[in-house]
């Protein structure tokens, strides 16, 4: 089927579980039924991962997506050849950090040239990325930089709920300082646009407060909810949007889990990540909202403690690939 989107899979940090989960995921025939996966990474490292997990797949290296066969039983790889054979598993490496950056940069080049339909990223390690000379908090900010995008949002997608974040990789004090009505408004707008693109024209969006009990009418905090969140909600309600809040996060996530809302707006990283990860890392997918390209990711880290042991779980990557297929297909239709 030539209409299957071509998904570029970046290998992530070569010292982590990325190579293993890629090999395991691409052994599933149903992945190949819905997309044409192409790994941008290191062929030698993938071979080592194949040995570790006992894979019988064939590894096929190519110079461009046009050279790939895209068939079951094969892993297609653009080999950048950046990883030495003796790179240890499970240890921070500046070489692996630099390589992780270069995989992403190459993938962005390919998608901007029209050779890929979406990006799906295996995990990178922030310490290694910095050691390699690339000072970004994570994939989200790195991709924004490479695509020249001024502002993006992180959305976590699970079977039970979607959570978008107003702030992400900053300390809690800096996060509170950064939150303002304009940023809250733009974050909700990105959530609304994403949900509408998925076919939900009037999504129910719930907004978390910052303080316990969403401030409880000024009892907790210094009026942050009234100052930073309420003006944004009022503006969007005037457009006729179904936006509720600010609400206490502890009860809001319970309500979202039972289906009361289509999306939750979290104010800071752990407020949104904690409830999602309680559901299980294999269930979550990270979607970068606001980029000019479709990008999804696993919702777990490099897991250095189990890297190289052949026990990493591929289900989050499979979910991320499926989400990339859905978003890429809808984007093509919308275009």
């Amino acid at each position: 089927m030539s209409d299957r989107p071509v998904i570029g899979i970046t290998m992530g940090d070569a010292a982590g579980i990325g190579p293993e989960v890629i090999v395991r995921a691409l052994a599933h025939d149903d992945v190949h039924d819905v997309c044409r996966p192409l790994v941008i990474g290191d062929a030698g490292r993938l071979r080592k991962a194949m040995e570790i997990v006992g894979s019988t797949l064939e590894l096929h290296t190519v110079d461009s997506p046009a050279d790939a066969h895209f068939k079951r039983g094969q892993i297609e790889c653009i080999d950048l050849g950046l990883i030495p054979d003796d790179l240890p598993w499970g240890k921070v490496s500046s070489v692996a950090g630099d390589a992780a950056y270069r995989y992403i940069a190459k993938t962005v080049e390919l998608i901007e040239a029209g050779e890929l339909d979406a990006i799906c990223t295996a995990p990178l390690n922030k310490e290694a990325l910095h050691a390699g000379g690339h000072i970004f908090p994570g994939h989200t900010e790195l991709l924004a930089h490479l695509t020249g995008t001024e502002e993006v949002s992180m959305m976590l997608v699970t079977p039970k709920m979607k959570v978008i974040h107003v702030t992400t990789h900053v300390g809690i004090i800096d996060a509170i300082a950064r939150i303002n009505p304009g940023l809250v408004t733009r974050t909700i707008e990105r959530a609304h646009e994403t949900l509408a693109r998925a076919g939900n024209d009037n999504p129910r969006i719930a907004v978390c407060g910052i303080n316990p009990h969403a401030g409880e009418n000024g009892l907790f905090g210094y009026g942050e909810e009234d100052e930073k969140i309420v003006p944004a909600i009022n503006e969007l309600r005037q457009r006729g949007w179904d936006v509720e809040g600010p609400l206490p996060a502890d009860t809001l996530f319970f309500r979202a889990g039972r289906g009361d809302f289509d999306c939750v707006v979290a104010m800071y990283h752990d407020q949104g990540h904690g409830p999602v990860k309680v559901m299980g890392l294999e269930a979550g997918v990270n979607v970068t909202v606001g980029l000019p390209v479709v990008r999804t990711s696993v919702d777990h880290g490099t897991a250095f403690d189990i890297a190289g042991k052949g026990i990493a779980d591929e289900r989050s990557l499979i979910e991320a690939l499926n989400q990339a297929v859905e978003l890429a297909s809808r984007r093509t239709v919308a275009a």
Side-chain angles (χ1 to χ4, degrees), residues 26-61:
L26 297 187
H28 291 254
D29 287 344
D30 52 355
V31 169
H32 298 270
D33 290 341
V34 298
C35 72
R36 290 175 285 173
L38 173 65
V39 181
I40 294 85
D42 188 279
R45 199 61 169 181
L46 287 174
R47 288 192 185 95
K48 288 185 180 295
M50 292 167 70
E51 293 173 6
I52 289 169
V53 304
S55 174
T56 59
L57 297 175
E58 177 187 347
L59 183 62
H60 180 223
T61 59

Side-chain angles (χ1 to χ4, degrees), residues 167-168 170-179 228 267-269:
T167 66
T168 50
V170 294
I172 186 65
I173 294 174
D174 294 329
I176 294 171
R178 186 173 297 185
I179 297 166
K228 297 171 176 287
M267 290 296 121
Y268 51 90
H269 183 282

Side-chain angles (χ1 to χ4, degrees), residues 151-157 161-166 182-207 236 239 241-243 261-267 287-291 323 327:
E151 188 176 273
V152 296
S153 297
M154 177 189 294
M155 178 182 282
L156 301 183
V157 177
M161 72 175 76
K162 295 178 175 65
V163 182
I164 194 167
H165 295 69
V166 175
L183 179 57
V184 174
T185 299
R186 295 190 299 274
T187 303
I188 298 173
E189 287 174 337
R190 283 189 281 271
H192 193 280
E193 178 186 0
T194 301
L195 294 166
R197 187 184 301 154
N200 187 349
D201 293 328
N202 189 31
R204 300 162 299 166
I205 299 174
V207 184
L236 296 172
R239 301 182 192 176
W241 290 11
D242 188 351
V243 182
F261 305 107
D262 298 305
C263 185
V264 173
V265 180
M267 290 296 121
V287 179
T288 305
V289 179
L291 289 173
Q323 194 69 220
L327 291 172

Side-chain angles (χ1 to χ4, degrees), residues 53-204:
V53 304
S55 174
T56 59
L57 297 175
E58 177 187 347
L59 183 62
H60 180 223
T61 59
V62 297
D63 293 325
S64 72
D67 300 325
H69 298 156
F70 295 123
K71 62 183 182 180
R72 293 179 179 184
Q74 280 192 344
I75 298 176
E76 303 287 350
C77 175
I78 292 180
D79 180 18
L80 299 192
L82 300 173
I83 302 301
D85 287 341
D86 60 352
L87 182 82
W89 297 96
K91 293 185 179 180
V92 173
S93 162
S94 61
V95 173
D98 177 60
Y101 171 87
R102 295 184 187 280
Y103 302 151
I104 298 164
K106 176 64 175 178
T107 306
V108 169
E109 287 179 15
L110 291 170
I111 202 164
E112 289 183 339
E115 297 183 69
L116 301 174
D117 297 302
I119 300 171
C120 183
T121 58
L124 54 71
N125 181 278
K126 297 175 181 63
E127 184 179 353
L129 183 69
H130 292 184
H134 309 288
I135 312 302
F136 297 92
H139 267 123
T140 303
E141 297 82 1
L142 172 52
L143 283 161
H145 168 74
L146 289 172
T147 58
T149 307
E150 196 168 309
E151 188 176 273
V152 296
S153 297
M154 177 189 294
M155 178 182 282
L156 301 183
V157 177
T158 76
K160 287 193 173 183
M161 72 175 76
K162 295 178 175 65
V163 182
I164 194 167
H165 295 69
V166 175
T167 66
T168 50
H169 296 120
V170 294
I172 186 65
I173 294 174
D174 294 329
I176 294 171
R178 186 173 297 185
I179 297 166
N180 61 61
L183 179 57
V184 174
T185 299
R186 295 190 299 274
T187 303
I188 298 173
E189 287 174 337
R190 283 189 281 271
H192 193 280
E193 178 186 0
T194 301
L195 294 166
R197 187 184 301 154
N200 187 349
D201 293 328
N202 189 31
R204 300 162 299 166

